[in-house]
Amino acid sequence: MVCEKHTTPGGYTHVFTRNDYEWDVGLHYVGDMDRKGSLLRIVFEHITDKNLKWADMGEVYDRVIIQNREYEYLKGLQNWKTRMKEYFPTEKDARSIDKYVEALFEVNRSAKSYYMKKAMPNFMLFFAAPFMGNAYARIAKRTTKEVLDSISDNDELKAVLSAQFGDYGMPPSKSSFAIHAAVALHYMNGGFYPIGGSEEIFNTIAPSILKNGGNILIGAGVKEILIEDGVAKGVVMSDGKIIKSDIVVSGAGVHITYKNLIPEASKKLIPHLNDALELPASYGHLSLYIGLKHTAEELNLPKANYWIYPNGTDHDKAIEEYLADYTKEFPVVYISFPASKNPKFLEKYPGRSTIEIITVVKYDWFKKWEDTRWKKRGDEYDAFKELFAQRLLEHLFTYEPQLRGKIDLYELSTPITTKHFCNYLNGEIYGLDHHPERFAKEYLKPQTPIKNLFLTGQDIVTVGIGGALMSGVLTASAITKKDITAEIIKIAKQDATNNEQITV
Ligand SMILES: Cc1cc2nc3c(=O)[nH]c(=O)nc-3n(C[C@H](O)[C@H](O)[C@H](O)COP(=O)(O)OP(=O)(O)OC[C@H]3O[C@@H](n4cnc5c(N)ncnc54)[C@H](O)[C@@H]3O)c2cc1C
């Protein structure tokens, strides 16, 4: 039984509509979807019965703009390297770009055992795997900035290499190189978008749940986990009803689970609870949802995302200055064009297109409106939002000037919108932050000290659709005490035709 608080299922993959437009909330691109041996693709095919199809974003998936200098991220490792070397010919002798790629793969090589260890029962960890994952944990202690500084002195190069930091929400001096490497390699074979939009993730997974005897409830908020004698026995719903179950899995996020869902009397059963609650959460974000009464083709909208850095190369300084004063220039502006990425967009919304623009904000800037009602938060809130919306639109018009005067409607979400719909305590964009210490927290795994209570979701692996999906596989492995990854790969290999051999 899946209990979803929101009335639209899918978590951050849900979509919403207004006046004949539809927008994604938390998916703009996913990597590694056309490589045969991609574990992510194999797991997606397994859980969706191959019904989820992906559209390739093409040769350029990310476009980085540092002040007015433009850099393209090209699909395919060799193409990407070649293009980067063309942009930075003076780095040839130092082999900076090769060294950077080698560093990414070093993280990748050690990642598997680190994540597999999370699914192992405690007694096995003690006897069979005391050193498992240590290599990864060692690398994860280094920040992205430390690794980049060890590779090059070229600030422009380092700014370009860390330009996807918005995908994990932390600037180079704060983020672990482990998350940077995971994201960079994830997209190295290009960007992909679910055909039909991000709601197709839920639409294609739901039949697997139902077919296997599961059920899905929406508008079904869990008030508390029912714990008796230190054993999870089910959940108490917001309306007081009790749903009993042998096993409870919380995918609501570590902070929500530990702060709100564990009954007070049982909190003492979790020795790391306070430590977990003190783990920093990611920033809040603004998302500007834009609708246009023209098609993506008519407006010449690109497929590639924009990563705009108006302040130059120092991402850390730009974030710090802006978070101290929101009137300062945005540290990063991300623009996504779902209508041009989704080949079926016009079937649902003929003659239209959509755009999404995202930037960072502090929850505190919006906190005073947190107890107001959605859509009725008052003129002051609306005016405050409008300032941000206009500033974001100007960035769009700078790079896509043909859109000036073409916008039909726009709506800005803030961290209190995110809190309202997705329940994150401070409307955080990506759950827990990805600083180096996070990767040393062994309790961020499926098992909890409470018998029959398990965790899943981005907080126990990493941010991203891929991270959330693989967390589900890990949690299933921990519950069944089977290597579910190996089972899924085995089934995929049996299914594969002879000329489509799979090597993961
Ligand atoms: C703006 C934005 C852009 C993003 N872009 C991308 C991208 O392009 N590519 C990518 O790979 N990733 C992207 N992500 C990240 C990705 O969406 C998330 O990492 C992932 O969806 C998290 O999945 P999850 O299942 O862990 O959590 P969620 O999707 O947040 O699901 C948790 C669910 O728990 C529900 N819940 C919480 N409390 C309760 C309760 N008490 N009772 C019942 N239900 C409850 C919530 O309503 C929510 O539906 C983006 C995220 C955001 C916010």
Side-chain angles (χ1 to χ4, degrees), residues 96-198:
S96 313
I97 290 154
D98 292 320
K99 282 187 200 161
Y100 168 73
V101 171
E102 284 158 19
L104 297 182
F105 279 102
E106 194 190 339
V107 181
N108 199 34
R109 273 192 298 275
S110 59
K112 191 173 164 198
S113 58
Y114 172 86
Y115 287 106
M116 274 179 64
K117 186 177 171 184
K118 285 178 181 275
M120 285 184 166
N122 289 342
F123 74 89
M124 266 180 83
L125 284 179
F126 188 73
F127 290 110
F131 305 113
M132 210 173 155
N134 284 6
Y136 185 84
R138 227 179 2 259
I139 298 172
K141 278 188 188 152
R142 303 185 76 193
T143 64
T144 306
K145 179 169 166 39
E146 279 165 358
V147 175
L148 294 180
D149 284 349
S150 72
I151 287 170
S152 174
D153 294 330
N154 186 328
D155 288 340
E156 184 84 0
L157 171 67
K158 288 187 280 186
V160 174
L161 296 181
S162 55
Q164 293 168 318
F165 84 80
D167 280 329
Y168 48 85
M170 296 183 85
S173 78
K174 303 259 185 329
S175 55
S176 163
F177 187 63
I179 185 63
H180 174 83
V183 167
L185 282 178
H186 174 65
Y187 291 117
M188 205 52 102
N189 289 309
F192 299 84
Y193 185 84
I195 297 178
S198 73

Side-chain angles (χ1 to χ4, degrees), residues 31-333:
D32 232 4
M33 279 303 149
D34 71 348
R35 195 171 56 84
K36 282 206 185 83
S38 154
L39 182 58
L40 208 54
R41 176 176 135 155
I42 290 170
V43 176
F44 257 126
E45 288 187 342
H46 181 80
I47 197 157
T48 63
D49 271 341
K50 296 191 178 169
N51 285 322
L52 180 62
K53 306 286 181 208
W54 298 87
D56 192 335
M57 285 170 66
E59 199 197 8
V60 182
Y61 55 97
D62 275 332
R63 179 164 285 127
V64 175
I65 296 172
I66 300 190
Q67 282 165 336
N68 53 1
R69 307 176 293 280
E70 198 168 318
Y71 302 89
E72 292 175 338
Y73 268 46
L74 290 196
K75 175 180 172 161
L77 180 61
Q78 283 316 321
N79 297 339
W80 182 89
K81 269 168 63 166
T82 305
R83 179 60 59 93
M84 285 296 150
K85 288 177 183 178
E86 285 164 8
Y87 289 138
F88 297 98
T90 55
E91 293 294 308
K92 190 168 170 229
D93 291 343
R95 290 188 61 253
S96 313
I97 290 154
D98 292 320
K99 282 187 200 161
Y100 168 73
V101 171
E102 284 158 19
L104 297 182
F105 279 102
E106 194 190 339
V107 181
N108 199 34
R109 273 192 298 275
S110 59
K112 191 173 164 198
S113 58
Y114 172 86
Y115 287 106
M116 274 179 64
K117 186 177 171 184
K118 285 178 181 275
M120 285 184 166
N122 289 342
F123 74 89
M124 266 180 83
L125 284 179
F126 188 73
F127 290 110
F131 305 113
M132 210 173 155
N134 284 6
Y136 185 84
R138 227 179 2 259
I139 298 172
K141 278 188 188 152
R142 303 185 76 193
T143 64
T144 306
K145 179 169 166 39
E146 279 165 358
V147 175
L148 294 180
D149 284 349
S150 72
I151 287 170
S152 174
D153 294 330
N154 186 328
D155 288 340
E156 184 84 0
L157 171 67
K158 288 187 280 186
V160 174
L161 296 181
S162 55
Q164 293 168 318
F165 84 80
D167 280 329
Y168 48 85
M170 296 183 85
S173 78
K174 303 259 185 329
S175 55
S176 163
F177 187 63
I179 185 63
H180 174 83
V183 167
L185 282 178
H186 174 65
Y187 291 117
M188 205 52 102
N189 289 309
F192 299 84
Y193 185 84
I195 297 178
S198 73
E199 69 173 340
E200 285 306 306
I201 298 210
F202 173 79
N203 290 344
T204 53
I205 290 177
S208 296
I209 296 174
L210 302 179
K211 192 175 74 186
N212 287 290
N215 214 333
I216 302 162
L217 294 182
I218 54 166
V222 171
K223 191 169 110 204
E224 234 173 43
I225 296 164
L226 184 67
I227 299 171
E228 290 169 1
D229 302 325
V231 183
K233 296 277 174 76
V235 287
V236 183
M237 306 303 290
S238 305
D239 63 4
K241 285 201 183 98
I242 290 178
I243 300 178
K244 291 235 172 175
S245 64
D246 295 334
I247 286 171
V248 177
V249 178
S250 176
V254 165
H255 281 175
I256 295 175
T257 306
Y258 284 174
K259 185 165 185 279
N260 294 343
L261 302 183
I262 303 285
E264 266 328 299
S266 300
K267 287 190 174 168
K268 59 180 183 299
L269 300 173
I270 304 177
H272 56 256
L273 185 130
N274 287 332
D275 192 66
L277 287 177
E278 277 168 22
L279 288 177
S282 48
Y283 301 128
H285 74 288
L286 294 177
S287 211
L288 188 67
Y289 300 98
I290 300 171
L292 305 102
K293 275 188 186 159
H294 293 272
T295 67
E297 198 180 347
E298 283 163 1
L299 294 169
N300 203 18
L301 299 183
K303 286 185 180 164
N305 311 304
Y306 279 109
W307 289 102
I308 301 167
Y309 292 95
N311 302 292
T313 56
D314 193 339
H315 303 324
D316 280 283
K317 186 163 163 260
I319 288 254
E320 201 182 309
E321 289 181 355
Y322 166 78
L323 291 182
D325 174 1
Y326 58 75
T327 63
K328 291 263 161 62
E329 180 55 284
F330 294 126
V332 52
V333 177

Side-chain angles (χ1 to χ4, degrees), residues 3-6 8-14 25-31 167 186-187 220-224 237-238 251-253 256 261 285-287 289 334 358 418 421-424 428-430 456-459 462-469 471:
C3 297
E4 169 53 56
K5 182 174 173 286
H6 194 4
T8 311
Y12 270 145
T13 65
H14 82 270
V25 170
L27 190 163
H28 303 104
Y29 62 150
V30 171
D167 280 329
H186 174 65
Y187 291 117
V222 171
K223 191 169 110 204
E224 234 173 43
M237 306 303 290
S238 305
I256 295 175
L261 302 183
H285 74 288
L286 294 177
S287 211
Y289 300 98
Y334 172 82
I358 297 175
T418 306
F421 287 109
C422 301
N423 213 21
Y424 286 96
E428 52 266 35
I429 182 167
Y430 296 143
T456 201
Q458 59 185 352
D459 284 352
T462 63
V463 63
I465 303 303
L469 183 73
S471 75

